[in-house]
Amino acid sequence: MGWCKRFGAFVVLLMGVCAPAAAEKILFIPLDNRPVSLAYTVDSFRKAGVQVVTPPEKFLASDRQNGDPDKLAQWLDQEARGAAGAVVSTDSLIYGGLVPSRTHELDPAVLAQRANALLAFKKRHPGVPLYGFATVMRSPKWSSAPAEPAYYAQYGPQIFRWGQLRDKKRLGILTRKEKNELNQVEQNLPLDIRRDVLERRGKNLFVLKGLTRGLEAGKMDYFLIGRDDSAPYSEAHKDAADLESFADPAFRYKFRSFSGADELGMVLLNRALNKARGETPLVYGWYNGGTGAATVASYEDSPMGASYRQHVLAAGGYPARTDKRADLVLGLYTPGDGVTLGADSAANGPDLDEQGQQFLATAQKYVRQGRNVGIADVAFGNGGSTALVKGLLTGEPGQEPLGYRLGSYAGWNTASNSLGYALGQGMLRPYLSDRDRQDLLTVRYLDDWLYQSKVRQQVRQELIWPRQWTDGKLTDAQTAQAETLVTEKMLKEGAPLLGKRPEQYRYSLPWHRTFEIAVKSEES
């Protein structure tokens, strides 16, 4: 663990764990109370010995309530004393959460007042570094109500196509055929809906530009903007380009924007910790064969190589050119043909191709060398690769499987979500006991691969769809029935590769939908 050694006078090497002299207190306000936003992220750092302090959950957004920006702001002030940093979702502090940032009816004056209140934090607490993260309003391709305004249920795909064509027009690459299509889309999309979409996006940009100016005025120490559900041509891509040109280049080292959203808390908590400890971990990235770093994953608008570099820098690390002195060797398991299909597709089979076998062999080589190896499983969207996980969890006779010798693994939702988690937990490995590291790995295998790629689709096909339940607004009774089936499936489907490990965890659907699961140890 290279960076532990470089700080030998200030750290103690004990049982393979680089232990700090004292636990830092870092304040954390997440996007909402989903496991990936809150429990999984916080558990990772607490296992690493960091005192992550979070608000009462009743102040945070859930699937059935918005967060309370005023109570969150009060909490932040009350807890600031003695903190080594504050990592804050500005969406929570200004809108009340990620979903409310898209669906709110707030006046710009209210938004400005809340943003200014956050930017006054450092005047009251000058010794506490403030790390803010926000999201550009996303551009979903589907009918995504109620996570968007209600009209998305009918007009979602048309709204996406309208934004896509508008972005191409901005770039001057609209064909004659597309010009005619843009006119047709605008005729078919009601004027009041077009106005509402642009007004909402305008408010979002208004807030983000105000926060960016606050950063440049020294009122924040770092500002990270994620592009949730974007595409190479989209309104989100267009808005991000607007922000990039708006930001003062002199502050580029304090401002970053890339595809992703749910991993931003994990990334910035790592930055806060690395800055508090005066460390800059070196990270070396390597890729599966095929398109590799040039891959533009589904739901994203930039190549994986660019996203990887931006994530590492945002987390307080530095992208190493070679693997020789790297503290974390991070493998990105990209699709060979550059197309990220859904993890529930038939293409997500049990057998590794030649490129995948070489990727696994490279991981094995690094592990045998005693390196800290992380894997971002980004070959598919919304779940891990069955073939890769099978290769990781099938060990040689009498040997521990490679999958439990890793520093980190992640393969859920979008490519950047997985990248951010694999990077973040990989950076924490020097501070984790073997038991805690393996617990974090188990949760990721259970959630990212077993549930997301296999069990979720089975539960939908066998229970949710036949009964015509609304997946996204399950009742408490429906949720309980779904959780029972989820548990049965997790134990049955997980046994071949994970043995009895699935029996040691509890499974729930905290947002009353099958999109995400909460995996919790029976011991906690």
Side-chain angles (χ1 to χ4, degrees):
M1 311 310 170
W3 81 87
C4 294
K5 296 175 184 177
R6 292 198 292 276
F7 287 83
F10 302 99
V11 299
V12 178
L13 192 62
L14 179 62
M15 297 177 63
V17 178
C18 179
E24 294 84 357
K25 173 186 174 182
I26 301 178
L27 308 182
F28 178 45
I29 296 180
L31 277 168
D32 45 44
N33 75 347
R34 287 172 298 149
V36 294
S37 301
L38 180 59
Y40 290 164
T41 299
V42 170
D43 187 49
S44 300
F45 284 86
R46 288 179 179 169
K47 278 181 165 60
V50 183
Q51 185 188 358
V52 177
V53 183
T54 58
E57 199 164 332
K58 63 184 179 180
F59 296 165
L60 299 174
S62 71
D63 63 315
R64 294 180 174 179
Q65 70 172 34
N66 290 350
D68 190 326
D70 294 333
K71 292 289 179 61
L72 289 172
Q74 293 172 12
W75 174 87
L76 189 63
D77 268 333
Q78 292 167 359
E79 294 291 338
R81 184 175 181 181
V87 175
V88 173
S89 162
T90 62
D91 287 357
S92 287
L93 268 175
I94 295 173
Y95 306 105
L98 179 59
V99 173
S101 75
R102 310 169 192 146
T103 60
H104 70 88
E105 301 291 344
L106 297 170
D107 187 272
V110 174
L111 302 178
Q113 183 273 322
R114 290 175 176 173
N116 288 331
L118 173 61
L119 293 173
F121 174 83
K122 284 186 67 65
K123 185 175 182 180
R124 298 188 298 273
H125 310 284
V128 182
L130 179 61
Y131 306 94
F133 65 100
T135 59
V136 170
M137 195 170 173
R138 72 177 182 173
S139 295
K141 295 182 180 181
W142 59 91
S143 298
S144 53
E148 313 289 335
Y151 51 73
Y152 270 79
Q154 181 177 355
Y155 294 105
Q158 295 97 311
I159 293 171
F160 173 79
R161 183 59 176 162
W162 180 50
Q164 189 177 47
L165 293 170
R166 278 167 37 84
D167 192 20
K168 296 184 78 171
K169 181 179 179 180
R170 171 185 68 90
L171 295 169
I173 58 174
L174 205 62
T175 66
R176 180 176 297 179
K177 181 179 179 180
E178 287 173 331
K179 288 178 182 178
N180 293 331
E181 184 185 359
L182 177 57
N183 290 332
Q184 190 63 47
V185 170
E186 290 186 335
Q187 288 178 20
N188 295 337
L189 199 57
L191 178 61
D192 60 332
I193 290 177
R194 282 185 280 137
R195 284 176 173 169
D196 189 74
V197 168
L198 295 181
E199 182 179 339
R200 289 178 184 279
R201 303 202 75 91
K203 287 181 180 180
N204 179 247
L205 277 174
F206 166 72
V207 168
L208 294 177
K209 288 181 177 180
L211 293 173
T212 300
R213 284 292 179 254
L215 170 78
E216 295 164 357
K219 298 178 180 180
M220 273 199 293
D221 293 87
Y222 200 83
F223 191 32
L224 179 56
I225 301 177
R227 304 195 288 274
D228 183 21
D229 287 353
S230 187
Y233 302 112
S234 63
E235 288 283 5
H237 178 253
K238 176 175 173 290
D239 290 348
D242 187 348
L243 284 166
E244 288 281 351
S245 62
F246 176 81
D248 188 336
F251 293 88
R252 181 64 56 197
Y253 67 101
K254 289 187 174 184
F255 170 90
R256 295 206 179 272
S257 176
F258 48 70
S259 294
D262 295 343
E263 82 280 12
L264 301 183
M266 170 70 77
V267 170
L268 274 195
L269 279 169
N270 268 280
R271 183 179 190 85
L273 182 61
N274 285 323
K275 293 301 179 183
R277 295 180 177 177
E279 299 173 0
T280 304
L282 297 179
V283 184
Y284 176 74
W286 50 284
Y287 297 84
N288 192 26
T291 55
T295 301
V296 178
S298 299
Y299 314 109
E300 307 202 349
D301 58 21
S302 59
M304 283 303 305
S307 184
Y308 154 76
R309 177 178 175 82
Q310 295 299 320
H311 274 77
V312 172
L313 292 170
Y318 192 81
R321 293 187 177 181
T322 71
D323 60 8
K324 292 182 179 179
R325 299 179 58 209
D327 300 300
L328 172 63
V329 182
L330 183 64
L332 287 82
Y333 187 66
T334 47
D337 61 1
V339 179
T340 50
L341 300 174
D344 58 354
S345 70
N348 192 5
D351 299 319
L352 281 173
D353 60 15
E354 186 175 346
Q355 291 175 342
Q357 292 172 5
Q358 182 57 51
F359 180 89
L360 194 61
T362 302
Q364 290 172 332
K365 177 194 72 173
Y366 282 127
V367 168
R368 290 194 189 105
Q369 292 174 357
R371 309 299 296 274
N372 177 17
V373 180
I375 290 182
D377 184 356
V378 298
F380 295 95
N382 293 319
S385 163
T386 295
L388 178 64
V389 172
K390 179 182 177 182
L392 290 171
L393 296 179
T394 305
E396 299 294 330
Q399 294 185 2
E400 182 184 7
L402 173 65
Y404 277 96
R405 299 169 68 191
L406 298 174
S408 62
Y409 165 89
W412 58 281
N413 212 353
T414 70
S416 285
N417 292 160
S418 298
L419 168 60
Y421 253 65
L423 170 68
Q425 291 187 333
M427 281 186 171
L428 294 175
R429 178 177 183 170
Y431 313 111
L432 296 168
S433 68
D434 282 344
R435 179 178 178 179
D436 284 339
R437 175 180 58 82
Q438 292 188 9
D439 175 61
L440 292 177
L441 285 167
T442 298
V443 171
R444 299 268 55 83
Y445 292 133
L446 289 170
D447 191 326
D448 302 4
W449 168 69
L450 181 56
Y451 179 74
Q452 304 293 346
S453 298
K454 294 175 68 69
V455 170
R456 176 170 65 178
Q457 195 67 7
Q458 293 176 3
V459 171
R460 285 173 168 175
Q461 291 174 345
E462 296 177 23
L463 181 65
I464 306 297
W465 295 340
R467 301 194 182 190
Q468 299 183 333
W469 291 351
T470 303
D471 192 358
K473 286 189 175 182
L474 299 178
T475 66
D476 289 343
Q478 291 168 346
T479 300
Q481 290 184 60
E483 288 172 344
T484 297
L485 184 57
V486 165
T487 300
E488 292 175 3
K489 295 287 186 181
M490 293 292 286
L491 302 188
K492 178 182 177 182
E493 299 291 339
L497 291 182
L498 289 162
K500 293 185 177 298
R501 285 189 178 94
E503 300 174 13
Q504 300 166 12
Y505 295 81
R506 300 191 302 275
Y507 308 98
S508 62
L509 303 174
W511 271 45
H512 304 90
R513 63 185 186 183
T514 62
F515 186 76
E516 66 270 290
I517 190 177
V519 179
K520 192 172 184 180
S521 170
E522 288 282 8
E523 297 180 0
S524 59

